[in-house]
Amino acid sequence: MFLQFLFYLPRCLCHFLLFLYEFLLLLTLATFGNAMGPEILQLLVSLSLISLSSSDATVRCTDLDPTQYLCKNYAVDPITQQSITCSADNSVQVMCETAEHVKCIGKDHQFGVFNKTVPDACHYGAHVNYTTALLLSIFLGFFGIDRIYLGYYALGFVKMFSLGGLVVFWVVDIILISLQLLGPADGTDYAMAYYGPKVQRIR
């Protein structure tokens, strides 16, 4: 949360300064408009219109065509190997940048960026290490240690006392775990490096 606060702090300050600038500009026009020359008055009016033109957008930034913006990920937590914006519903916030001429609702026109929520882009709460599970399956899966590590205690003991299901069960589990078709018993995903060999499920 503290890192997210640091990300948003410069934007909040810029928004505040932009609001203060517009307020002082309009106040100047209202107070000294009659005393100013026509050239200076026209310049100030133009600046005011440029400042306020950022609010004439009618389309939400998240509804733009994907070819109109480019998204970048926030920093990765070195401990969890997940994006620091990973939420409990497995969604993440990414920072997207549009071309300067593209106007949309939700865009920070000072920096030309907006935040977008990407569903199913992280594994919140993942705690079972994928590499550990695969190594246990290869070297100790014959005794059911891999199943016990994943939380399938009953099947682990069955596998242990049947000598890996007469080897068949052992080989099948190696394949299932390596392809990430068999995951932790609690329904969470594997914990692995952010750029690790993740399998994307097609739905």
Side-chain angles (χ1 to χ4, degrees), residues 16 45 48 96 109 202:
F16 174 74
V45 171
S48 178
C96 301
H109 292 272
I202 300 176

Side-chain angles (χ1 to χ4, degrees), residues 175-191:
I175 297 173
L176 292 178
I177 292 176
S178 62
L179 295 177
Q180 299 175 32
L181 297 175
L182 176 64
D186 59 4
T188 60
D189 291 282
Y190 285 112

Side-chain angles (χ1 to χ4, degrees), residues 1 9 13 15 19 24-25 34 36 40 42-43 58 69 83-84 94 108 114 118 132 139 157 159 163 177 184 192:
M1 294 299 294
L9 180 60
L13 291 175
H15 279 299
F19 171 78
L24 293 176
L25 190 61
N34 295 328
M36 293 180 180
I40 298 178
Q42 184 178 4
L43 176 61
T58 58
Y69 58 87
S83 170
I84 60 172
V94 294
D108 185 335
F114 66 93
V118 181
T132 302
F139 296 106
F157 286 114
K159 192 175 176 182
L163 299 179
I177 292 176
M192 62 176 69

